[in-house]
Amino acid sequence: MSSDAKFLLLDAKDVGQLIEPAKVFDAMKRAFTLHSRREGRVFPVVREQLHTGGVFGIKSGDVPNADLLGFKAAGFWPSNRKAGKEPHQATILLIDPHTGRPLCLIDGNTITTVRTGAVGALGLTLLARPESTSLCIFGTGTQARIQLSFALRYMPMIKRVSYVTVNGQPDDGFEKELGHLCTLIHAQDPDAAVSESDIVVTATPGSGPLFSPAAIRAGTHLNCVGADTKGKRELPEGVLRRSRLFTDDRDQSRSIGEGQWDAECPSIEIGDLLTGKVRLTRDLEDITVFDMTGLALQDLVVAEMLWHLATAKSQGTTLSWPW
């Protein structure tokens, strides 16, 4: 074996220059198709509280027929906000499955943000009523912004957006960034905002139920982003049983997602819609929920794409990594 191996580093600037939302959207279709066909594997998730107040996790997996193996080490460090830094942190490592040697280390923050936004849009295109014109979003942080951006890109019929903040106050930065894309209204009453919307997106830290169960009207679709750890939730009690539940991964949803609060609730993995294993007929009165816990395959297929792009463009930092 060669002893003059190389190791590629892609920092946040490199990722920002290489990543393209449309290509990430297509990559998410690939990730879920691989998962549905069980051509890609996701290994058990590590998700642990730290003594520092942060949460640390590892999501890993592989795609044997593509020689793709790796993991994302990521989590949430709320104290970063005091330093004016992003509390969500992520790093992705691609590994040669034949030798175990590292191939590419990538700043995973932007990848996590964009791929989650793309997954949200995919959920909307598959599950929400196509004629939906109104949306309510909970949260105004990084993930809420990317969710709304992708939603408006892939659901052009949406014209009116209500947003709910944790402190009940308008968010000028949120409005400045996204207000030109739709009619953006700060909502004082969460229940009223939900009841007046065709689509509801929850993109918060998952600290507890965000609205009353009675606020959800027939025909509503909900994308739930924030529940990704044991003990987290955004939906009120009883909503899942009133709904048709869709997940990125059934077991993961029951372990760390909204599904943990009703583990017996039946669900459909969204990849099965893409592969035709399940054919969806959506009645006008159906309430649908997409529980987004995040799969290692989502990160790995995007990381692989960026690695190949960077190699072709001679971008990033190459280190000698002999062995």
Side-chain angles (χ1 to χ4, degrees):
M1 293 184 179
S2 173
S3 62
D4 60 350
K6 304 294 183 182
F7 181 42
L8 182 63
L9 303 178
L10 298 178
D11 64 18
K13 182 179 179 181
D14 295 321
V15 173
Q17 292 173 345
L18 292 167
I19 202 164
E20 297 180 29
K23 290 184 178 180
V24 175
F25 184 83
D26 290 338
M28 293 305 95
K29 290 182 179 180
R30 178 192 174 208
F32 285 123
T33 297
L34 288 168
H35 188 51
S36 174
R37 293 173 176 164
R38 295 308 187 251
E39 295 173 4
R41 298 188 297 171
V42 291
F43 306 145
V45 173
V46 173
R47 194 77 175 174
E48 299 292 340
Q49 295 283 341
L50 301 178
H51 69 285
T52 60
V55 178
F56 174 71
I58 296 176
K59 291 181 177 178
S60 57
D62 71 349
V63 183
N65 63 13
D67 276 346
L68 178 58
L69 171 69
F71 66 85
K72 180 175 77 173
F76 186 72
W77 283 264
S79 60
N80 285 1
R81 291 195 179 103
K82 297 176 182 178
K85 301 296 184 180
E86 171 59 46
H88 291 92
Q89 292 297 314
T91 304
I92 299 170
L93 181 67
L94 297 180
I95 299 168
D96 184 341
H98 297 283
T99 65
R101 297 292 290 173
L103 299 170
C104 186
L105 185 71
I106 310 175
D107 185 300
N109 289 358
T110 298
I111 291 176
T112 302
T113 298
V114 177
R115 66 84 157 150
T116 309
V119 170
L122 182 59
L124 295 183
T125 60
L126 291 173
L127 301 172
R129 289 181 290 115
E131 68 273 17
S132 297
T133 60
S134 56
L135 181 149
C136 170
I137 188 162
F138 286 80
T140 59
T142 300
Q143 193 50 236
R145 296 181 187 212
I146 198 70
Q147 287 295 323
L148 183 53
S149 176
F150 265 93
L152 295 173
R153 177 193 291 258
Y154 285 92
M155 297 286 289
M157 292 292 289
I158 296 174
K159 304 299 181 185
R160 182 181 184 276
V161 175
S162 301
Y163 74 96
V164 181
T165 55
V166 66
N167 60 7
Q169 299 300 312
D171 187 319
D172 293 339
F174 186 75
E175 294 190 7
K176 183 178 181 180
E177 181 175 336
L178 296 160
H180 66 287
L181 299 175
C182 59
T183 300
L184 192 58
I185 302 166
H186 177 247
Q188 295 283 351
D189 184 342
D191 284 357
V194 169
S195 67
E196 295 167 358
S197 300
D198 300 314
I199 295 169
V200 177
V201 178
T202 58
T204 75
S207 302
L210 298 170
F211 49 85
S212 302
I216 305 173
R217 67 185 185 187
T220 302
H221 171 70
L222 299 94
N223 268 3
C224 302
V225 185
D228 59 1
T229 305
K230 287 182 179 179
K232 283 189 174 186
R233 72 184 308 174
E234 295 177 306
L235 296 182
E237 190 73 27
V239 169
L240 294 186
R241 287 300 170 124
R242 291 177 55 203
S243 310
R244 300 180 68 182
L245 175 61
F246 296 82
T247 64
D248 43 22
D249 180 87
R250 185 177 294 106
D251 292 338
Q252 205 165 279
S253 170
R254 290 172 177 171
S255 174
I256 60 175
E258 291 292 343
Q260 69 184 285
W261 302 101
D262 190 348
E264 300 303 316
C265 185
S267 65
I268 297 170
E269 291 187 351
I270 200 165
D272 290 346
L273 300 180
L274 294 173
T275 59
K277 287 185 176 180
V278 175
R279 301 207 177 270
L280 175 65
T281 300
R282 194 190 200 288
D283 294 334
L284 290 177
E285 299 296 298
D286 284 344
I287 297 171
T288 50
V289 172
F290 180 28
D291 186 18
M292 300 165 53
T293 57
L295 300 183
L297 290 174
Q298 297 168 17
D299 302 302
L300 295 182
V301 296
V302 177
E304 179 192 41
M305 177 177 68
L306 297 185
W307 174 44
H308 289 318
L309 282 172
T311 301
K313 295 182 177 183
S314 299
Q315 190 162 338
T317 302
T318 300
L319 302 178
S320 177
W321 205 259
W323 63 304

